[in-house]
Amino acid sequence: MAQLVSLEEAISKVQHGMTLMVGGFIGCGAPDQLLEEVCQKGVKELTLIANDTGILGDAMSQLIVQRCVSKLIATHIGTNKETGRQMSADELEVKLVPQGTLVEQIRAAGAGLGGILTPTGIGTIVEEGKQKLVVNGTEYLLELPVHANVALLKAYKADMAGNLVYRRAARNFNPIMAMAADLVIAQVEHIVEVGEIDPDEVMTPGIFVDYLVQKQPREVTNAG
Amino acid sequence: MAQLVSLEEAISKVQHGMTLMVGGFIGCGAPDQLLEEVCQKGVKELTLIANDTGILGDAMSQLIVQRCVSKLIATHIGTNKETGRQMSADELEVKLVPQGTLVEQIRAAGAGLGGILTPTGIGTIVEEGKQKLVVNGTEYLLELPVHANVALLKAYKADMAGNLVYRRAARNFNPIMAMAADLVIAQVEHIVEVGEIDPDEVMTPGIFVDYLVQKQPREVTNAG
Amino acid sequence: MEWLVKRVAQEFNTGDVVNLGIGIPTKVANALPEGIKIILQSENGYLGVGPAPEVGKEDSDTVNAGGQYATILPGGCCFDSAMSFAIIRGGHVDATVLGALQVDEEGNLASWMIPGKMVPGMGGAMDLVVGAQRVIIAMEHTAKNGGLKVLKKCTLPLTAAKQVNLIVTDMGVMEVTSKGLVLKEITPGLTFEEVQACTEASLSYRAE
Amino acid sequence: MEWLVKRVAQEFNTGDVVNLGIGIPTKVANALPEGIKIILQSENGYLGVGPAPEVGKEDSDTVNAGGQYATILPGGCCFDSAMSFAIIRGGHVDATVLGALQVDEEGNLASWMIPGKMVPGMGGAMDLVVGAQRVIIAMEHTAKNGGLKVLKKCTLPLTAAKQVNLIVTDMGVMEVTSKGLVLKEITPGLTFEEVQACTEASLSYRAE
């Protein structure tokens, strides 16, 4: 059962050294206010699992810039040069994973699967150190589940039972990560009463969600 | 791109000896009119992949009763005694599969995976003849993809682009099967114009669907 | 039987996600202690199973995993079978309550077939027993013909190996431990010896 | 460059599901022949990518896989990343158009990293190249420093092995066959010898 809590209370559960999943795709669908609070709190030594590390300047990128992360599992880091710099300088351990593989690994963890066989990465350095299996004459890589201590998500709408609805391309990794973490925190734009979301409209069942955090309106900063 | 066609035209693609997936769970979400047409047409020697074979008397059950099926892959046959009778009499080959395994096998076929590792069935006769793998100290069965020539689905709503929306518990296997067949035929209650279904409401992307068939109103048969 | 159902219902806390098998287990939903609210999962694709609908208000798209008309409570949600079994196999169901043909002191369960006789299929039971955090068996202690059902070792094909946590019957409550079955409660009016006499497995008694 | 983009755009039929990579490939959408309507997939989670929004009508939830504001056409639909890559890896994308650092006569592709230099990550490219029915490489025939890019054997780490079907460059169109690269078209104004001179792989010429 989800609880509506303050930003501070929710992020108090994010501790040094934890493995953190964060939804979003180059910022779209990333829970910016939750991320800002993680930075603010100064949590360090995180293992971050995310599609990317945002665009330099956005909330996601700050996790890297402010050195909250010691290990990164992602599919693409080209939009945040600081990630590449830290990687090249051996300040950050980076594991790059094909996007379709990463999302299936997360799904496998959530769905209780011991792994999945994918053709992606065969014949590339991605296959290094991995078990290969041949099924019906085709080679596949065995990719293992990826689980996290905490998932930080962004949703468009939620009811007080924790049911989540995402909007447009902001859905991306969010509903998959919701299944694969011990603790799930969602930053939500609109929170409504139980019964106001049609059962068929729900994209993440409320049983996956622990904390709801109401997105706060922010003052727009105008230069000058 | 989906085409709106007649029941007869759609089912003309279902040929003797094909492998057929049919959505539904004890009748709920099963495309009754498509099934009736398959029986009517007298297609034989089908391999049927479905959760169950319906309740004796319903459209799904008739596929068995009228001996359209020579091989069945299902999770439960207890609600259609004729299926059990044909199986016991060696008139029908039946392969029983755990429900969670069957749906992942279908999903694997649709998602281009070579298989999935599941803990389900370990220590039971389900593991017979299957490869076992140990991941992090736990034993899993390797379950392989299950694909079909044709999938028959039931949807509540569709637009002319083939996007499908299901309703309540009638969703079940339908969206998963939509991904795993060469030809996908959906029986639809409400067909609307392109643009009338919000992009976030779509449960099966239209690119998966080949034929839409408008569900026909039927005269209610009153006894006496 | 009434005792059995009420006793199973005491195993839950508010907020627990529970999947109830067909038969005796289904009755548990109506026997919950005052104030306890659990979330029922139906493996055909939704959370928030409510009571049977009023006559005339049946919805053919809203049926439970037994195929009977059902309702969805406010806060419930629907999903496809892949998500349903991701929930089940992924450990997101706190408890499942199922019937059994046989169960043994190692926690093995046989519930889905009698070779040469009854083979309805396992449906979602194998996934539920493997995936649920707690597996509770609710059944009559012995078969109608008097045959024993709580055994040293199941003789029928298994539904899953070593997954059962608790066995609740009309004679008492047994916990599966690494040292075998511990009889935690005896149905009022019975003695330990009477329960043991109807049980092939050796029971040790430890009231809680 | 304009020729390249227009030429790639001729590869499609109405109804084709196409995923366009960032850069040159993206321009293909605006160069389709009259009457051809394709369905663009964006791997961050939707089908039916439309043109860039009007100024002032940007929606921060509707961006393409390059992170730029986009639109969704009527008939489009949104989904999560698991479904997006089920579509891609499952063979439901008819064609993908991607850039390349190197491509070779076996259809091997290198596009995602230069060891010790540029390692942006593979993003969705490895899945796209393995899963799409046809893989079309759209790129300049040679590197800015004059280095060759159409090789006998890629020297950079691969994105995928033996998956490329067609290579379209500013110099011509090459098909990957079991017998190596077949130059099907030469950009007007160039000769076979000029194209071969800029290509490490041996080309055979067969106009269609």
Side-chain angles (χ1 to χ4, degrees):
Chain A
M1 294 285 276
Q3 273 183 277
L4 178 62
V5 299
S6 69
L7 184 56
E8 294 70 24
E9 185 177 344
I11 298 303
S12 74
K13 305 296 178 184
V14 180
Q15 307 284 342
H16 292 255
M18 277 189 168
T19 298
L20 199 65
M21 279 179 186
V22 182
F25 191 108
I26 322 184
C28 178
D32 55 339
Q33 299 186 351
L34 299 182
L35 292 169
E36 286 166 14
E37 180 68 17
V38 172
C39 287
Q40 179 82 14
K41 206 187 142 194
V43 190
K44 303 289 175 190
E45 300 289 329
L46 294 171
T47 294
L48 174 64
I49 301 164
N51 180 65
D52 55 74
T53 49
I55 301 175
L56 204 51
D58 72 9
M60 181 69 116
S61 76
Q62 291 304 304
L63 275 190
I64 301 295
V65 170
Q66 301 196 22
R67 297 174 176 273
C68 304
V69 181
S70 58
K71 183 176 175 185
L72 171 69
I73 300 172
T75 83
H76 198 274
I77 56 172
T79 51
N80 179 350
K81 290 204 190 312
E82 173 63 9
T83 308
R85 195 202 61 72
Q86 289 184 17
M87 178 174 70
S88 301
D90 272 337
E91 297 166 13
L92 175 68
E93 183 186 344
V94 178
K95 186 177 173 190
L96 290 165
V97 181
Q99 203 168 131
T101 297
L102 183 60
V103 73
E104 281 296 322
Q105 290 183 293
I106 297 169
R107 181 181 183 275
L113 301 175
I116 57 101
L117 302 186
T118 178
T120 303
I122 286 284
T124 77
I125 61 173
V126 168
E127 72 176 45
E128 282 173 17
K130 289 176 187 160
Q131 191 173 348
K132 283 198 240 184
L133 283 93
V134 176
V135 175
N136 295 328
T138 303
E139 254 187 340
Y140 295 93
L141 292 183
L142 172 60
E143 296 280 6
L144 305 183
V146 170
H147 181 270
N149 299 119
V150 179
L152 304 184
L153 313 180
K154 179 184 154 179
Y156 177 66
K157 192 163 66 169
D159 65 19
M160 291 295 288
N163 291 304
L164 303 182
V165 176
Y166 310 95
R167 190 171 167 276
R168 303 295 188 248
R171 193 179 329 182
N172 57 66
F173 279 74
N174 284 295
I176 311 303
M177 290 176 170
M179 301 161 64
D182 299 329
L183 187 87
V184 175
I185 305 172
Q187 167 185 321
V188 182
E189 200 141 334
H190 302 285
I191 299 181
V192 301
E193 291 303 316
V194 165
E196 288 188 47
I197 300 180
D198 186 274
D200 287 328
E201 196 194 338
V202 174
M203 297 175 187
T204 290
I207 60 164
F208 287 119
V209 181
D210 298 288
Y211 292 137
L212 300 173
V213 176
Q214 171 74 59
K215 185 180 175 174
Q216 296 304 314
R218 290 282 168 89
E219 289 168 36
V220 178
T221 312
N222 285 315
Chain B
M1 294 286 274
Q3 274 183 278
L4 179 60
V5 301
S6 69
L7 184 57
E8 294 71 22
E9 186 178 345
I11 298 302
S12 73
K13 307 295 179 184
V14 180
Q15 307 284 341
H16 292 254
M18 277 188 169
T19 298
L20 199 65
M21 277 177 188
V22 182
F25 191 108
I26 322 184
C28 178
D32 54 339
Q33 298 186 353
L34 300 181
L35 292 169
E36 286 166 14
E37 181 66 18
V38 172
C39 286
Q40 179 82 12
K41 205 187 143 195
V43 190
K44 303 288 176 192
E45 300 289 329
L46 293 172
T47 294
L48 174 63
I49 300 164
N51 180 63
D52 56 74
T53 51
I55 300 176
L56 204 51
D58 71 12
M60 181 68 116
S61 76
Q62 290 304 303
L63 276 189
I64 302 294
V65 171
Q66 300 197 21
R67 296 173 176 277
C68 304
V69 180
S70 59
K71 183 177 174 185
L72 171 68
I73 299 172
T75 83
H76 199 273
I77 57 171
T79 52
N80 179 349
K81 289 204 188 315
E82 174 62 10
T83 307
R85 196 200 61 71
Q86 289 184 18
M87 178 175 70
S88 300
D90 273 336
E91 297 166 14
L92 175 67
E93 184 186 343
V94 177
K95 185 176 174 190
L96 291 166
V97 181
Q99 205 168 127
T101 297
L102 182 60
V103 73
E104 281 297 320
Q105 290 182 293
I106 296 168
R107 181 180 182 275
L113 301 175
I116 55 102
L117 302 187
T118 178
T120 303
I122 287 283
T124 77
I125 61 174
V126 167
E127 72 175 45
E128 281 173 16
K130 288 175 188 161
Q131 191 172 348
K132 281 197 242 183
L133 283 94
V134 176
V135 175
N136 295 330
T138 303
E139 253 189 341
Y140 295 92
L141 292 183
L142 172 60
E143 296 280 6
L144 304 183
V146 170
H147 181 269
N149 299 119
V150 180
L152 304 184
L153 313 180
K154 180 183 153 179
Y156 177 67
K157 193 163 66 169
D159 66 20
M160 292 295 287
N163 291 306
L164 303 182
V165 176
Y166 310 94
R167 191 173 164 277
R168 304 294 189 247
R171 192 179 328 182
N172 56 67
F173 279 75
N174 283 295
I176 311 302
M177 290 176 169
M179 301 162 63
D182 299 329
L183 187 87
V184 175
I185 306 172
Q187 167 186 320
V188 182
E189 201 143 330
H190 302 285
I191 300 181
V192 302
E193 291 303 316
V194 165
E196 289 188 45
I197 300 181
D198 185 274
D200 287 327
E201 196 194 340
V202 173
M203 297 175 188
T204 290
I207 61 164
F208 287 119
V209 180
D210 298 287
Y211 293 137
L212 299 173
V213 176
Q214 171 75 59
K215 184 181 176 174
Q216 297 304 313
R218 291 283 167 86
E219 291 168 34
V220 178
T221 312
N222 285 315
Chain C
M1 190 55 50
E2 212 177 300
W3 184 84
L4 192 169
V5 168
K6 274 196 185 160
R7 182 58 190 79
V8 170
Q10 287 168 21
E11 290 294 316
F12 307 119
N13 299 310
T14 288
D16 279 358
V17 178
V18 179
N19 184 300
L20 299 175
I22 296 164
I24 296 176
T26 308
K27 297 178 181 145
V28 170
N30 300 319
L32 290 169
E34 188 77 20
I36 298 290
K37 286 190 179 175
I38 62 177
I39 302 170
L40 292 176
Q41 200 245 15
S42 193
E43 68 259 31
N44 55 329
Y46 58 104
L47 279 155
V49 180
E54 291 172 41
V55 175
K57 294 207 170 171
E58 298 88 355
D59 168 9
S60 63
D61 288 340
T62 308
V63 301
N64 63 25
Q68 285 136 348
Y69 290 120
T71 54
I72 304 175
L73 295 173
C77 61
C78 300
F79 33 77
D80 63 38
S81 298
M83 173 60 101
S84 186
F85 282 86
I87 291 171
I88 288 170
R89 200 181 35 233
H92 311 288
V93 169
D94 295 300
T96 186
V97 183
L98 295 166
L101 296 166
Q102 297 177 336
V103 59
D104 70 27
E105 60 189 27
E106 289 184 346
N108 297 311
L109 169 67
S111 64
W112 74 283
M113 74 174 287
I114 301 173
K117 205 172 159 192
M118 184 203 74
V119 193
M122 68 291 278
M126 284 192 180
D127 298 284
L128 273 165
V129 176
V130 167
Q133 297 292 338
R134 287 185 81 210
V135 176
I136 301 172
I137 300 303
M139 64 175 192
E140 308 215 29
H141 201 90
T142 54
K144 283 194 184 110
N145 65 8
L148 302 188
K149 298 177 70 176
V150 183
L151 306 177
K152 285 186 186 303
K153 189 89 182 169
C154 290
T155 57
L156 292 171
L158 297 187
T159 305
K162 301 182 185 178
Q163 297 287 343
V164 174
N165 301 101
L166 198 73
I167 306 163
V168 183
T169 75
D170 50 320
M171 300 191 83
V173 179
M174 289 153 282
E175 193 176 335
V176 181
T177 76
S178 56
K179 294 179 178 165
L181 298 184
V182 174
L183 185 62
K184 294 166 61 180
E185 286 178 41
I186 300 175
T187 304
L190 294 178
T191 65
F192 175 81
E193 289 68 28
E194 284 170 319
V195 180
Q196 180 66 75
C198 295
T199 309
E200 188 192 85
S202 298
L203 302 175
S204 55
Y205 182 55
R206 191 171 70 228
E208 284 198 331
Chain D
M1 191 54 50
E2 211 177 302
W3 182 86
L4 192 170
V5 168
K6 273 196 186 160
R7 181 59 191 78
V8 171
Q10 288 167 21
E11 290 294 316
F12 307 119
N13 298 310
T14 288
D16 278 359
V17 178
V18 179
N19 184 299
L20 299 175
I22 295 163
I24 296 176
T26 309
K27 298 179 180 145
V28 171
N30 301 319
L32 291 169
E34 188 79 18
I36 298 290
K37 285 190 180 174
I38 62 177
I39 302 169
L40 291 177
Q41 201 246 14
S42 194
E43 69 260 31
N44 55 331
Y46 57 105
L47 280 155
V49 180
E54 292 172 40
V55 174
K57 294 206 169 171
E58 298 88 353
D59 169 9
S60 62
D61 287 339
T62 307
V63 300
N64 63 24
Q68 285 134 349
Y69 288 120
T71 53
I72 304 175
L73 296 173
C77 61
C78 300
F79 33 78
D80 63 39
S81 298
M83 172 61 101
S84 186
F85 282 86
I87 290 171
I88 288 169
R89 199 180 38 232
H92 310 288
V93 169
D94 295 300
T96 186
V97 184
L98 295 166
L101 296 166
Q102 297 177 336
V103 59
D104 71 27
E105 61 189 25
E106 289 183 346
N108 297 312
L109 169 67
S111 63
W112 75 283
M113 75 174 285
I114 300 172
K117 204 170 160 193
M118 185 204 73
V119 192
M122 67 292 277
M126 285 193 179
D127 298 283
L128 273 164
V129 176
V130 167
Q133 297 292 337
R134 288 184 79 210
V135 176
I136 301 171
I137 299 303
M139 63 175 193
E140 307 214 32
H141 201 91
T142 53
K144 284 195 183 107
N145 65 8
L148 302 188
K149 298 176 70 176
V150 183
L151 306 178
K152 285 187 187 304
K153 189 87 183 168
C154 290
T155 57
L156 292 171
L158 297 187
T159 306
K162 300 183 184 177
Q163 297 287 342
V164 174
N165 301 102
L166 198 74
I167 306 162
V168 183
T169 75
D170 49 318
M171 300 192 84
V173 179
M174 289 151 282
E175 193 176 337
V176 181
T177 76
S178 55
K179 293 176 179 166
L181 297 184
V182 175
L183 185 63
K184 293 166 63 180
E185 288 178 38
I186 299 175
T187 303
L190 294 179
T191 66
F192 175 82
E193 288 69 24
E194 285 171 317
V195 180
Q196 181 65 75
C198 294
T199 310
E200 186 191 88
S202 300
L203 301 175
S204 55
Y205 182 54
R206 191 172 68 227
E208 285 201 329

